[in-house]
Amino acid sequence: MEPRSIILEHRSNHVKMDGVAVTTGRSARRTDALSQERIIAAAIEILDDEGEGALTFRALARRLSTGAGAIYWHVANKDELLAATTSAVIARVMRAVPRHDDPRDGIRGIALGLFDAIDDHPWIGSELSRQPLQLANTVIFEEIGSKLQALDVAAGSLFDAASALANYIWGAASQNAANARNAPRDMDRATALALAAERWAALDPAEYPFVHQVLAQLPEHDDREQFLAGIDFILAGIAGR
Amino acid sequence: MEPRSIILEHRSNHVKMDGVAVTTGRSARRTDALSQERIIAAAIEILDDEGEGALTFRALARRLSTGAGAIYWHVANKDELLAATTSAVIARVMRAVPRHDDPRDGIRGIALGLFDAIDDHPWIGSELSRQPLQLANTVIFEEIGSKLQALDVAAGSLFDAASALANYIWGAASQNAANARNAPRDMDRATALALAAERWAALDPAEYPFVHQVLAQLPEHDDREQFLAGIDFILAGIAGR
DNA sequence: ACCTGAACACCGTTCAAGT
DNA sequence: ACCTGAACACCGTTCAAGT
């Protein structure tokens, strides 16, 4: 068998949740043996390369050249595994968000960072809405909330404001994730949009007049811009208080 | 065997999607034989009584005193079955929403109707976010959009505005559904809230200051009011344009 | 036309047995 | 302490065979 693991760097003593420390990146433990880090990395590879449906303990064990049961020594179950992969990616996203002087721009930056991350890894969107209490969602909530605090939001409205923004982001995230999940692997955004438009066009215009009106705007429609427009509505509404 | 089905009322010729006509309630077909209506009704019973996890084709077949394969004669697959159950409940919700003169109140009414419906049938929340293109979501989008049209929203912002409201609703819906799904069956809202608070309290205050600040507000926190506060932020933001 | 239920190809998870 | 992989108790879906 391979040599045993060597701890290259000491672990931070930050709170761990979902089996992942979010603050620093310096908790790496290099080893050839199975470890939570290696399992999470392999899981992310499968999720990114082959989609949500491809992540099974058997596939993961195959990729790690081990038995399916071995994974359970390091990870309690599939929920924890998915929470840990999501935490890892969200932590990466948060570190990559550029700093802004204006808290409003900061919130837009977080929102766009999440939007793009879900575009790249649609499975995150599913996971965030599947386990609301997971660490990744807490991180998102904290990041948004701390930016809101820097605005002149009344203390009594802070919780509501952060919750509004977070729920909106989670909603858009899960819808995008589901669209990616349900579409054939090779389908691009334009054809997916065309398919949706076709489906809407088949509805009775007398019964769905608004849908039919919006249909005309679909071709020049930009998901990302529309997502940001929603953020701006909420920010404006919060400021208007 | 029982006598064959008798069509008591003619079916409406409205567009059918997810196997359910949404407009009128008069497409009922009374019969003792298996039918899409009976299957959907039984599925809703299982979902309501025993939760999302309990709806399997085997459980459904048992309740309908038939074989699992028989269901496939009337319903293409589980996705279609779930879309149909969700459509049925959402249509019921929309019919029950009280009429308002103010379109803003109309939107609040729709939102609260959906919130309460998801409180009663948490599985709807999961399903709405699992299949974005399903009819139930189109109905929600249409209802919101038509109310927005009655406001003085610029034509160019209508799509964005409806999308913002819908995404927010979908986000809150899926989070509520997931919380209900992950909590033990007999747990009430207060203890679930206390559990979430406990989990938050365990986090490092230095790393999650906003979460800790909000923690103090959790006891007097009302999910439903907070949900409505989010709707009002978005409505205010839309009006501010 | 509609129903039956065994069979197929999967799952997540457990656990005795190994090293 | 950690790993192996067969076994268990499920799934959704199909399909030959019945009526």
Side-chain angles (χ1 to χ4, degrees), chain B residues 84-190:
Chain B
T85 57
T86 307
S87 272
V89 176
I90 292 294
R92 218 182 289 157
V93 171
M94 290 305 175
R95 273 194 301 270
V97 171
R99 301 277 157 249
H100 293 96
D101 289 336
D102 181 0
R104 248 173 293 263
D105 286 336
I107 289 172
R108 290 190 190 97
I110 293 167
L112 284 183
L114 290 171
F115 185 90
D116 292 338
I118 287 154
D119 201 34
D120 285 346
H121 322 274
W123 52 271
I124 299 173
S126 312
E127 182 49 23
L128 291 177
S129 63
R130 212 178 57 82
Q131 301 193 79
L133 293 176
Q134 71 178 296
L135 179 58
N137 278 332
T138 309
V139 169
I140 292 170
F141 190 72
E142 173 69 31
E143 291 296 320
I144 289 170
S146 64
K147 297 282 176 299
L148 281 174
Q149 269 184 310
L151 289 171
D152 51 350
V153 180
S157 295
L158 260 182
F159 191 8
D160 289 349
S163 155
L165 283 164
N167 272 316
Y168 171 73
I169 289 171
W170 289 324
S174 75
Q175 298 278 315
N176 278 343
N179 280 331
R181 191 193 326 117
N182 296 338
R185 179 152 307 287
D186 54 344
M187 187 179 287
D188 64 348
R189 219 138 175 174

Side-chain angles (χ1 to χ4, degrees), chain A residues 70-111:
Chain A
I71 297 165
Y72 283 89
W73 187 264
H74 302 274
V75 168
N77 50 42
K78 197 171 182 182
D79 280 353
E80 189 184 293
L81 175 62
L82 281 168
T85 58
T86 307
S87 271
V89 177
I90 292 295
R92 217 182 290 157
V93 170
M94 290 305 173
R95 274 195 299 271
V97 171
R99 302 275 158 251
H100 293 96
D101 288 335
D102 181 2
R104 249 172 292 263
D105 287 335
I107 289 172
R108 289 190 190 99
I110 292 167

Side-chain angles (χ1 to χ4, degrees), chain A residues 14-66:
Chain A
H14 284 125
V15 173
K16 277 185 55 170
M17 228 173 145
D18 303 344
V20 165
V22 229
T23 0
T24 72
R26 60 195 165 96
S27 67
R29 179 195 265 234
R30 308 254 180 73
T31 164
D32 291 318
L34 218 49
S35 69
Q36 215 180 77
E37 284 81 2
R38 282 191 61 213
I39 291 170
I40 291 170
I44 290 177
E45 280 178 29
I46 293 175
L47 289 164
D48 284 347
D49 296 349
E50 300 164 58
E52 297 177 44
L55 182 63
T56 67
F57 277 82
R58 283 168 181 82
L60 192 52
R62 207 178 309 123
R63 187 174 286 238
L64 291 164
S65 317
T66 182

